[in-house]
Amino acid sequence: MKKILVYTDAFRGNIIPTLGISEKLHQMGAHVHYIGVPDVTEIISGTSFPSTSIFGDYYPKGSKYESGKINADVIRTIIHGGLDELMQDFNPSAILFTAYNPIEAATFYLKYKIKTFLVYCHFPVDNDFSKTSFTEKVKEWSINMLMDDANLESTNLLINYLIDKGYAMNSLNDVLSVFENFYNVVPASKEFLIENAVVNGNDMYVGPCIPEQNIFHLHYDMDKLDSELSEQKRSGKKMVYCSLGSWAEQIDNEKAQHITQTLIDSFQQESMEDYILNISVGNLFDDYKSQTSDSIRIHQWLPQVAMLQHSDLAIIHGGMGGVKECIMHEIPMAVIPLGLDQFENADRVAAHQLGIKIEPHSINNTGIISTIHKLQNDTIIKDSLSKMKSSFEKASQDDAWTKFNP
């Protein structure tokens, strides 16, 4: 049986697609084992996959994580053989790393020389894929990390290790040469890109990778929630699910509050009497919980996949995970991007006629109400969602999966 390790960071948006990939690999006959800091293995403990905690001395449970920040102690530990015993016991044929760990992946590859995959939960921002392949973009992403002043110690460790392994170090391109050995996995369909993408032989577009196991369901009484949603459905009203994501107030708290209040005000209008809004407001819950009513149900958190199974429309922030889940459930979406890759995803949604992009700076009641009514009645959007879903399903059956074989 093939043995595959998955090394993931602690961001749940990155963990989720790895679970979808792991489920597929399990179906293909592989034994999958997760490794990560204690906060990661605690999440994985709620799934069917075994896991082993590593680097707990540097990242004890409850640590704060910064995307793009490389811990030099982690790099040093890998170089000095701190994971040798684990690797000898498990003897994997391949390892998967999540997007924010490319430097760890490079160090790991140099140390153990096993087949290495980098999993990106979303498309990198500011890129035209008609000119640059995904593999080249990965190298750009990685060099930005290496050039960050905060990562200087880790960068020096990696360069010295590359020299020890016989690599010529005359330029930054020499540093990046190790990445030519990696497979770069995108849990999406190439057709979701707006442009006609250049594809490198190491690029893998493998479909949505939405896992059957939901790590968020552990926090909900699902029977109670299903009962409540079924009752709402019986009312005959259209059900709208809304979430701006768990990072909304961190990206722009003032804007997140303005958008949330505007959405609530919009669904209080008489013209919206045929709709029920289920809105997840995250860490802003205490500010809005008093506005719950029969037609506006305000929650702190909601299990997104379960909500989409009951909803007619969705208002989302445009993270890749939410967009994919709407596509796979054929739910028309209004996308209100706040940051990160959300603006480009919103543009793709609009370009492919999968929904409507709402500019966050111009949001108002009239626009929200008009958008909801248009989404409900737009047959082009519904047809486009069906076609895009088919492209994602086709990608999930692609021959690229055979690259996971040793």
Side-chain angles (χ1 to χ4, degrees), residues 3 63 94 99 113 157 179 183 189 216 240 249 279 307 379 401:
K3 294 182 179 180
S63 293
K113 285 290 196 272
L157 285 168
F179 290 91
Y183 293 94
S189 163
F216 297 106
V240 180
E249 80 283 355
I279 180 169
M307 292 305 304
T379 56
W401 286 97

Side-chain angles (χ1 to χ4, degrees), residues 6 8 11-24 34 96 98-99 119-122 185-188 206-211 213 215 320-321 324-325 401:
V6 180
T8 175
F11 297 105
R12 293 190 178 217
N14 290 346
I15 294 173
I16 289 172
T18 73
L19 288 171
I21 292 171
S22 296
E23 289 175 354
K24 174 81 170 184
Y34 276 76
L96 280 68
T98 44
V119 179
Y120 285 73
C121 66
H122 57 75
V185 183
V186 194
V206 295
C209 298
I210 298 170
Q213 301 175 72
I215 58 178
M320 193 64 185
K324 289 189 299 184
E325 287 163 358
W401 286 97

Side-chain angles (χ1 to χ4, degrees), residues 150-220:
N151 294 328
L152 183 59
E153 183 179 3
S154 298
T155 299
N156 287 332
L157 285 168
L158 177 59
I159 290 174
N160 288 333
Y161 197 42
L162 281 161
I163 294 172
D164 289 343
K165 292 294 183 179
Y167 284 74
M169 290 290 109
N170 299 312
S171 68
L172 286 176
N173 285 332
D174 292 329
V175 177
L176 295 176
S177 62
V178 67
F179 290 91
E180 297 291 344
N181 300 294
F182 299 166
Y183 293 94
N184 301 296
V185 183
V186 194
S189 163
K190 182 168 63 70
E191 282 67 35
F192 184 62
L193 293 167
I194 296 173
E195 64 275 14
N196 185 22
V198 171
V199 179
N200 181 290
N202 285 3
D203 295 345
M204 297 170 59
Y205 294 86
V206 295
C209 298
I210 298 170
E212 294 183 7
Q213 301 175 72
N214 195 313
I215 58 178
F216 297 106
H217 283 192
L218 302 174
H219 306 289
Y220 302 95

Side-chain angles (χ1 to χ4, degrees), residues 279-345:
I279 180 169
S280 169
V281 297
N283 295 324
L284 301 176
F285 180 69
D286 288 339
D287 298 332
Y288 296 102
K289 61 183 179 182
S290 63
Q291 300 188 55
T292 290
S293 66
D294 288 342
S295 60
I296 301 172
R297 311 295 175 89
I298 298 174
H299 309 260
Q300 183 167 16
W301 307 108
L302 283 167
Q304 187 156 272
V305 171
M307 292 305 304
L308 292 175
Q309 290 171 346
H310 289 84
S311 299
D312 299 289
L313 307 169
I315 302 171
I316 59 175
H317 60 289
M320 193 64 185
V323 170
K324 289 189 299 184
E325 287 163 358
C326 284
I327 290 171
M328 298 311 292
H329 288 87
E330 299 184 52
I331 301 294
M333 61 193 106
V335 183
I336 309 173
L338 293 172
L340 306 173
D341 61 316
Q342 298 166 13
F343 289 96
E344 292 187 2
N345 289 336

Side-chain angles (χ1 to χ4, degrees), residues 4-10 15 18 32-38 40-41 44 49-55 78 83 86-87 90 92 94-98 101 108 112 114:
I4 297 177
L5 282 178
V6 180
Y7 180 119
T8 175
D9 56 64
I15 294 173
T18 73
V32 178
H33 191 104
Y34 276 76
I35 56 175
V37 299
V40 167
T41 53
I44 298 303
F49 296 106
S51 63
T52 299
S53 293
I54 56 176
F55 306 134
I78 297 171
L83 300 181
L86 182 148
M87 292 298 292
F90 194 75
I95 184 168
L96 280 68
F97 287 85
T98 44
N101 301 116
F108 210 94
Y112 299 111
I114 63 171

